[in-house]
Amino acid sequence: MSVESIVFLSTNEAPKAIGPYSQATVVGNLIYTSGQIALLPSGAMIDGGIQEQTTQVLKNLQAVLKAGGSNFNQVIKTTIFLADMNDFALVNEIYGQFFGEHKPARSTIAVKTLPKNALIEIECIALKVS
């Protein structure tokens, strides 16, 4: 596979990358998203706690996946980074609302800090369907 076969995704429906990376890359029929934190598409951090941040992160991922011709039902793996593992149960509840009966493989990792002092960051790998 050559560099020419890699597509870099960008959508205005999710926040722009805050560094030298893309919102996602597509290689073949796989979409690899960058980690999303609770930024609004404008780039401002959302107000609120873990509930609001988790919801915004998942909305951002949804927008990036849509831009790549995919959706949550095509996700095969997610990785969740939490600033506080005590938020695990609430994050699970909100995550389940977005994924429904679809249950991709997942890792959850406690971290010391995240960019912009976010409480949560999520990345995923999904199949491209269109």
Side-chain angles (χ1 to χ4, degrees):
M1 188 160 296
S2 67
V3 174
E4 293 82 30
S5 61
I6 298 172
V7 176
F8 299 100
L9 290 181
S10 180
T11 177
N12 291 330
E13 301 299 314
K16 292 180 181 175
I18 57 175
Y21 58 90
S22 61
Q23 292 171 328
T25 56
V26 180
V27 180
N29 68 336
L30 290 175
I31 300 170
Y32 298 85
T33 72
S34 292
Q36 291 290 317
I37 60 173
L39 295 174
L40 296 166
S42 67
M45 188 66 133
I46 194 167
D47 290 329
I50 191 64
Q51 184 171 351
E52 293 81 9
Q53 287 198 24
T54 302
T55 300
Q56 186 61 47
V57 166
L58 290 164
K59 286 179 180 178
N60 291 344
L61 279 175
Q62 195 169 42
V64 171
L65 290 172
K66 181 179 175 186
S70 192
N71 57 61
F72 283 133
N73 288 330
Q74 302 304 314
V75 171
I76 55 179
K77 172 74 167 79
T78 62
T79 305
I80 300 174
F81 303 92
L82 288 176
D84 185 347
M85 198 56 84
N86 290 318
D87 292 331
F88 186 82
L90 185 54
V91 168
N92 260 344
E93 182 181 323
I94 298 164
Y95 179 96
Q97 292 169 7
F98 279 81
F99 281 90
E101 294 300 313
H102 184 67
K103 303 210 181 326
R106 185 179 89 183
S107 300
T108 304
I109 302 162
V111 296
K112 184 176 178 183
T113 56
L114 290 164
K116 299 195 176 267
N117 292 314
L119 302 175
I120 185 169
E121 181 172 353
I122 303 176
E123 65 183 23
C124 69
I125 302 168
L127 294 170
K128 183 176 178 180
V129 293
S130 65

